[in-house]
Amino acid sequence: LAALVQELGADGVGTQGLSDVGAVVAATEPSLLAALRERMPNAVLLLPGVGAQGGRVEDLAPAFAGRPAAALVTVSRSIARAALDAGDAAAARPVAEQLRDAAWAVASGPA
């Protein structure tokens, strides 16, 4: 599947070296990220599973390979749960900000 994603996106690589074809890769399986990034160097990776499902932002550096736009970390349950547990939507903000800051740090650093 990784070879197919790379092949389909080969003609759609933009100036940042990223393709218009991407892949969904579970953040809950970080041991696979380096190999998948190697096989799909230009694909934007969507990384669901952070937070409530057990994935950790800190484990996702290989997905970015030093390029902040190379992957998108998706988190919803952990953020929504913070608001629901507190009975106040504002309680979601600090959780979302913490996850955003952690993702940005991982994405901007070396792979």
Side-chain angles (χ1 to χ4, degrees):
L1 187 56
L4 180 60
V5 167
Q6 187 62 21
E7 181 182 334
L8 289 172
D11 291 336
V13 177
T15 59
Q16 298 299 310
L18 296 171
S19 172
D20 57 4
V21 176
V24 178
V25 178
T28 56
E29 295 292 337
S31 62
L32 301 175
L33 292 176
L36 289 171
R37 174 50 72 202
E38 186 176 317
R39 295 187 74 182
M40 299 180 288
N42 306 109
V44 174
L45 303 180
L46 180 64
L47 304 168
V50 169
Q53 294 177 346
R56 295 174 1 105
V57 172
E58 298 80 8
D59 297 334
L60 304 179
F64 292 97
R67 300 177 297 172
L72 302 168
V73 178
T74 62
V75 181
S76 57
R77 210 178 309 174
S78 297
I79 295 169
R81 177 59 50 204
L84 292 171
D85 288 348
D88 180 6
R93 182 185 275 304
V95 175
E97 289 174 345
Q98 179 183 11
L99 288 163
R100 178 204 58 210
D101 293 346
W104 187 251
V106 168
S108 299

